[in-house]
Amino acid sequence: MTAVSFSETQPPATRAEAQADPARTLLRVQAERRILAIALPSLPTDRISRARAGHWWRSAGHPEPGPLACAENIKGAMRLSALNRAACARGLRPGQGVAEARAICPDLDVVPADPAADARLLEALADWGDRYTPLVGCDGPDGLFLDISGCAHLFGGERALLADCMARLFHLGFEASAAIAPNPALAWALARHHPGRIATPADIAKIMPGLPVAALRLPSEVSAALSRLGLKRVGDLVDAPRAPLTRRFGRELLGRIDRMKGLDSEPISPRRPVADIMSERRLGEPVSDIDAIGELVGRLAANLKETLAERGAGVRRAELRLFRVDGAVRRIEVGTARPLRDPARLCRLFAERLASIGEDFDAGFGFEMIRLSVPVFETLSDAQADFDGRGTDKAGFHDLADRLAARLGPARVLQPIPRDSHIPERAMTHLPLTSRKGPTCAVPLAPASAAARPLRLLSRPEPVTAVAAVPEGPPVIFSWRNARHRVGRAEGPERIAAEWWSEGEDALTRDYYRVEDEAGRRYWLFREGLYEREPGTPRWFLHGLFV
């Protein structure tokens, strides 16, 4: 998976002004950036509760589970790594030994930790967060960052967006807290220490002094050292001399403070590239019928056509995201052999892809939002059609190839691409026809005489036993795969020298022959090595079959 990092940068002059007057400059520099931070402190135990009582256990009115904890081997002992609310209420804490915890809470339910399952669940929640913004990044093992700059008005404002997010997470069975701030550092701190807060750049100077030192996300040993010195609030550090703090605790401490102030930018890395062109529709009622989904895809594709035409571009890869009511997200991709912007053709490709999924297409309780995006597009110039209004035969071929790739998968429809090698088995490679990679050199796809090469070329030459009338002559009899063949006609040799620059100076020369046995079957054989001129005894191989 590819990630795109984005961040705000400040020129040196702006940074100097910010240090002189932070409140004034922060409002000007980062007024447009809005970050929603979501904290999921009980993600491992919520995963277990959802598996036992269902994804909707909170909204369905199920009682809160008893004390539940996850344990893993930490420093040679089984210790608690995650707790639910009931376990915390009994006085248990992360890092506590399992034996000690059970002595305090005899009815504690201890489950082995599964970090891989927790990571998969967090990734699924990040997909779920795409409904608000495509700029979603994971924040450690228990949090998410959403860059909602410029999109909060689509949900009725930041307060309404925050309320909708928290309500949905509650109904999905998660214990979560969230906050919105001008930068990720402050949003992270507010989500965990002042949940529900919406901070503006002007609020930074008021909020920071009251936050605990733990809000700076410092290493535990640094936080403990600061606490021993009586520095328990961020306000105790903001006005302190910077040079002594740097000598005592390193540059990371001041870097964390500057990020929370907004003097240093903190990038968020979305998990997937953000498409430049997209169209989405939020549905009043969930849909689950494939035909209805196909109709909606056609409407979204029609919306994209105008944008593509303005850019003079066509789709090379399109992605359809279907957001289910229960929070699951289904992604479906199609590719094209050449750029296109015809909504009908794009709709047919997705119809083929949906048909190939068949019974595996699980709509659950239905989809409440559909998004069609174009992550990859290329220049597409307008072309004159035939007098009868039809395209060329080549256009029909590409349309067929696209539909086959959508139905069978892109790895099943391949195209030969020449490579910089004259050795037959290395002269070509095969890539999906919908791939953006083209030929790597100017070598033609076929040799000057197409009849000189077999239609079927073995991936690796297979050894055969052959007898020739003279040492340097063609074979008269050869055995391949336990079958004996007597040669009726032979043509050759075609000599192919070794690639000494890659295989070494001792690489052997090949003499290829086109032979036909008495039954009329034609083969492509070669003798590797030259008598008395190259080391070793020459050997025979079969490399291809003519049809």
Side-chain angles (χ1 to χ4, degrees):
M1 164 184 336
T2 308
V4 178
S5 298
F6 61 97
S7 61
E8 296 184 9
T9 58
Q10 302 181 36
T14 303
R15 182 176 173 82
E17 294 174 4
Q19 293 176 348
D21 189 354
R24 176 178 61 83
T25 307
L26 286 176
L27 180 61
R28 177 166 57 85
V29 173
Q30 293 190 339
E32 299 300 326
R33 194 178 187 194
R34 305 298 291 164
I35 304 299
L36 168 62
I38 301 176
L40 301 158
S42 303
L43 182 68
T45 54
D46 287 342
R47 172 180 57 81
I48 297 170
S49 298
R50 281 161 47 94
R52 292 177 176 178
H55 294 180
W56 309 90
W57 69 273
R58 289 185 186 274
S59 59
H62 289 281
E64 289 284 338
L68 175 64
C70 294
E72 60 181 329
N73 193 322
I74 302 176
K75 296 181 179 180
M78 293 300 295
R79 300 182 182 276
L80 304 183
S81 59
L83 306 168
N84 69 348
R85 185 182 302 177
C88 292
R90 296 289 189 91
L92 304 181
R93 64 185 186 280
Q96 198 170 24
V98 172
E100 179 185 355
R102 281 183 167 150
I104 298 174
C105 180
D107 58 340
L108 177 64
D109 185 5
V110 180
V111 179
D114 190 349
D118 297 337
R120 289 193 298 269
L121 181 57
L122 187 63
E123 288 285 332
L125 282 174
D127 286 339
W128 169 86
D130 282 351
R131 68 182 59 243
Y132 299 109
T133 172
L135 304 178
V136 182
C138 294
D139 172 34
D142 62 351
L144 297 172
F145 281 134
L146 284 72
D147 192 328
I148 59 171
S149 306
C151 62
H153 67 281
L154 300 174
F155 302 88
E158 292 182 351
R159 179 64 63 184
L161 187 152
L162 183 62
D164 180 76
C165 180
M166 290 297 97
R168 289 179 181 272
L169 287 173
F170 172 81
H171 290 303
L172 290 175
F174 293 100
E175 181 180 350
S177 58
I180 299 175
N183 59 71
L186 185 59
W188 187 95
L190 294 178
R192 287 156 177 81
H193 300 283
H194 292 285
R197 183 72 182 267
I198 298 178
T200 63
D203 297 330
I204 295 179
K206 304 175 184 177
I207 296 174
M208 281 187 61
L211 292 173
V213 170
L216 294 174
R217 294 181 288 174
L218 296 169
S220 57
E221 58 273 12
V222 176
S223 298
L226 291 171
S227 179
R228 287 194 298 269
L229 294 175
L231 304 174
K232 299 182 179 181
R233 296 286 174 182
V234 176
D236 300 332
L237 303 172
V238 171
D239 298 327
R242 297 173 68 91
L245 288 177
T246 303
R247 286 195 302 269
R248 182 73 179 270
F249 302 104
R251 295 182 178 180
E252 185 177 3
L253 173 60
L254 297 182
R256 296 288 184 180
I257 295 175
D258 289 343
R259 289 179 183 177
M260 188 174 289
K261 286 182 177 180
L263 301 180
D264 277 345
S265 62
E266 182 175 354
I268 298 176
S269 296
R271 298 155 41 255
R272 293 183 178 85
V274 180
D276 291 337
I277 303 174
M278 65 177 64
S279 178
E280 67 181 36
R281 174 163 295 189
R282 301 176 187 276
L283 307 175
E285 293 290 337
V287 298
S288 57
D289 183 65
I290 291 183
D291 294 335
I293 294 173
E295 182 180 351
L296 291 171
V297 171
R299 295 179 183 178
L300 295 178
N303 294 339
L304 295 179
K305 181 179 179 180
E306 183 177 352
T307 304
L308 291 168
E310 291 175 354
R311 298 195 179 197
V315 177
R316 283 302 309 272
R317 192 172 81 244
E319 181 185 69
L320 179 66
R321 292 195 182 188
L322 305 171
F323 295 81
R324 276 190 351 196
V325 175
D326 61 357
V329 181
R330 185 67 184 262
R331 290 192 304 273
I332 301 174
E333 283 192 358
V334 297
T336 62
R338 66 175 188 174
L340 67 87
R341 68 170 74 108
D342 182 10
R345 286 187 58 189
L346 194 59
C347 190
R348 283 199 301 269
L349 294 182
F350 278 108
E352 293 284 356
R353 192 77 188 102
L354 290 170
S356 68
I357 297 174
E359 297 180 354
D360 294 334
F361 184 75
D362 183 12
F365 294 105
F367 301 102
E368 60 181 353
M369 191 178 87
I370 297 179
R371 176 184 297 159
L372 180 62
S373 59
V374 184
V376 180
F377 56 88
E378 290 181 359
T379 302
L380 174 62
S381 57
D382 296 329
Q384 177 66 47
D386 296 339
F387 286 108
D388 59 359
R390 299 179 182 178
T392 62
D393 293 339
K394 191 174 182 180
F397 166 77
H398 285 111
D399 187 27
L400 174 62
D402 292 344
R403 295 180 66 181
L404 288 174
R407 170 75 68 154
L408 305 176
R412 300 293 183 89
V413 183
L414 307 176
Q415 61 176 332
I417 302 296
R419 299 174 60 189
D420 292 326
S421 176
H422 62 265
I423 304 300
E425 65 268 25
R426 297 198 295 266
M428 293 285 178
T429 187
H430 290 82
L431 295 176
L433 190 62
T434 57
S435 172
R436 298 187 66 191
K437 296 181 179 179
T440 57
C441 64
V443 179
L445 289 179
S449 175
R453 293 289 185 268
L455 184 61
R456 179 187 176 190
L457 189 71
L458 302 181
S459 58
R460 292 184 179 181
E462 297 185 7
V464 298
T465 302
V467 177
V470 295
E472 298 287 348
V476 294
I477 297 176
F478 69 93
S479 298
W480 175 55
R481 294 183 179 178
N482 298 324
R484 188 179 181 88
H485 302 268
R486 183 175 295 275
V487 176
R489 293 188 300 174
E491 183 181 0
E494 175 191 354
R495 180 160 293 179
I496 297 180
E499 295 179 345
W500 53 265
W501 54 90
S502 61
E503 298 178 333
E505 296 182 356
D506 295 333
L508 302 177
T509 304
R510 297 180 180 183
D511 280 346
Y512 278 85
Y513 293 90
R514 294 177 293 278
V515 303
E516 181 179 318
D517 65 8
E518 294 178 341
R521 294 182 290 264
R522 303 177 64 209
Y523 305 90
W524 201 38
L525 291 86
F526 70 87
R527 181 179 55 245
E528 185 179 55
L530 301 177
Y531 285 99
E532 299 180 356
R533 284 175 286 177
E534 292 183 348
T537 302
R539 298 181 301 165
W540 286 91
F541 294 86
L542 188 143
H543 204 168
L545 295 87
F546 294 90
V547 178

